Each structure stands twice: as structure tokens, then as C-alpha cells.
Amino acid sequence: GDSVTQMEGPVTLSEEAFLTINCTYTATGYPSLFWYVQYPGEGLQLLLKATKADDKGSNKGFEATYRKETTSFHLEKGSVQVSDSAVYFCALNSNYQLIWGAGTKLIIKP
Amino acid sequence: DAGVIQSPRHEVTEMGQEVTLRCKPISGHDYLFWYRQTMMRGLELLIYFNNNVPIDDSGMPEDRFSAKMPNASFSTLKIQPSEPRDSAVYFCASSGIGQHYEQYFGPGTRLTVT
């Protein structure tokens, strides 16, 4: 079945560092891909999405490109802030559901 | 819109008691999802509804769990009897027509069963 694999965390970076969180997927067909973010004590919220190959989703300085050839959707940000500390989930849609990765905790130190 | 509303935000109960979690989805959304989140198992989909009808409940862990959606603006998740291993954060999420994969999550209910 469809699945999503994310890099394990926690990922710890200093403020203003470059961020990459890896995400790869297995799916039949061509799903849409998503990154959701969960701040402490809150529910998940959609960060960005891409609906077809080579699409780039972007929001709040984060971006991710849908790479069909490598079945990847890595999340990047050029300069992270302390406020970016959260858990990040990669997901794909399958039969009206979302298939979730395990989540990657990001810790940004000032 | 107020977003997805869940109540209570925190629930502490003793083993064996009945627990009812409540959710009000975003008005106009036709899909509703119940999730459970724990450190050990991560985020798990328990059940989801479309137009108030349960579509897939294969994630419901056992018969102690039940969910209902009597109308478009209200859903409940009930655990009877509760057990300590049910301790988790339970999220409700909803999504709208044509954008069923963009799920909007509530703040969650943190359940502790002692």
C-alpha cells in the first residue's frame, strides 16, 4: 500500500541555519503531497502542498518540490527561526484519506 | 469561521469509565476524521465520515471504541470502558468538498486514563 517515510528526528539546528527534512513516498498513481506542521499543544495545520510532478509548494519561507523520479518531497528553509520549532509531517492523499509519515521534530536553538 | 472545535480539551478519568469526546467540524465541510496521537504509535486514523456516514472504521482499535455523526455539525467518539492504554491526544479534523485532502485539525483532546 501507499506509504510515507520521513527522516527521524529530532533535528536540532541553530537559528539562521539551513533546513532540510527528507520525505520519500511509495504510491500507486500520482498523489498530491503535503507538509503539515504541529506546534506544541496544537493540532496539525497545512504548511504547503504540491499536486503534480515538478510542482513547488511554498509558505512561510518553507518550500518543497514534488520529484516523481526520486519519489521525494523534501522540506527546505533557507534560514530557520526559533519559532519554527515544531513537528513536521509529510503526507500523501490516497482514497480520500491522508497517509502520514511518522513526523520529524525540529528544535531550533537561539 | 471558528475552525474545528473539540471538547473537552483535557479529560482525566479512571479505568472502566465511559469517555465521550466531541467535535464540531467547520461549517460546510463534508468529511470528518478522528485521529489518535501517541508517542509510541504516532498519528493514527481511527475513522472517517463523509456526509455523516462512516466510510472507513478499520482504524478503530476495538469494540470499546465507537463514533457517531448524527448531523453535519457534530460528531462524538466514545470509549466504553476506558483503559490506561487509551491515554492519548485525540484529534478531530474536517475537510471540504473538492478539497478533501486539505484537512483542518481541531486543538485536540488530551485523554488520561488512570
Side-chain angles (χ1 to χ4, degrees):
Chain A
D2 296 353
S3 65
V4 175
T5 303
Q6 290 182 234
M7 64 188 292
E8 287 194 25
V11 173
T12 303
L13 296 172
S14 297
E15 205 165 20
E16 299 185 1
F18 184 86
L19 167 71
T20 300
I21 299 178
N22 291 337
C23 171
T24 58
Y25 67 90
T26 302
T28 53
Y30 303 99
S32 294
L33 302 173
F34 308 87
W35 279 101
Y36 278 73
V37 58
Q38 184 179 28
Y39 298 104
E42 298 183 11
L44 283 72
Q45 54 186 276
L46 179 64
L47 179 61
L48 55 83
K49 67 178 182 182
T51 57
K52 61 183 186 296
D54 299 325
D55 266 3
K56 178 183 285 188
S58 61
N59 186 23
K60 299 181 180 180
F62 291 89
E63 58 182 35
T65 301
Y66 190 141
R67 301 287 189 198
K68 188 175 69 173
E69 63 276 10
T70 54
T71 61
S72 65
F73 193 55
H74 305 321
L75 183 68
E76 297 181 334
K77 187 176 186 182
S79 177
V80 293
Q81 306 300 313
V82 172
S83 57
D84 294 326
S85 297
V87 180
Y88 292 80
F89 292 87
C90 185
L92 63 82
N93 69 302
S94 174
N95 294 328
Y96 301 99
Q97 300 179 33
L98 287 175
I99 306 300
W100 299 92
T104 301
K105 185 173 184 177
L106 175 64
I107 300 169
I108 307 299
K109 296 188 173 182
Chain B
D1 200 309
V4 176
I5 299 172
Q6 292 187 247
S7 65
R9 292 294 310 275
H10 302 273
E11 177 80 40
V12 180
T13 191
E14 292 184 349
M15 183 175 64
Q17 296 299 305
E18 178 179 296
V19 175
T20 299
L21 311 181
R22 296 173 176 80
C23 174
K24 177 179 170 55
I26 291 172
S27 178
H29 280 187
D30 59 339
Y31 279 85
L32 184 139
F33 305 82
W34 281 101
Y35 290 92
R36 177 171 69 176
Q37 187 177 40
T38 62
M39 290 293 292
M40 291 297 294
R41 300 174 68 93
L43 191 65
E44 303 173 276
L45 176 65
L46 301 177
I47 185 171
Y48 76 94
F49 296 82
N50 177 222
N51 292 321
N52 314 334
V53 176
I55 302 300
D56 185 351
D57 65 353
S58 60
M60 296 285 262
E62 48 198 276
D63 292 345
R64 298 184 297 106
F65 286 68
S66 62
K68 294 182 180 180
M69 192 166 186
N71 57 62
S73 58
F74 184 66
S75 177
T76 60
L77 178 67
K78 185 176 295 186
I79 308 172
Q80 166 62 18
S82 58
E83 297 183 2
R85 61 193 167 117
D86 301 330
S87 297
V89 180
Y90 291 81
F91 289 104
C92 175
S94 69
S95 63
I97 297 173
Q99 297 191 44
H100 50 263
Y101 43 75
E102 292 191 27
Q103 296 181 15
Y104 293 79
F105 280 71
T109 295
R110 181 173 294 278
L111 173 65
T112 302
V113 183
T114 61

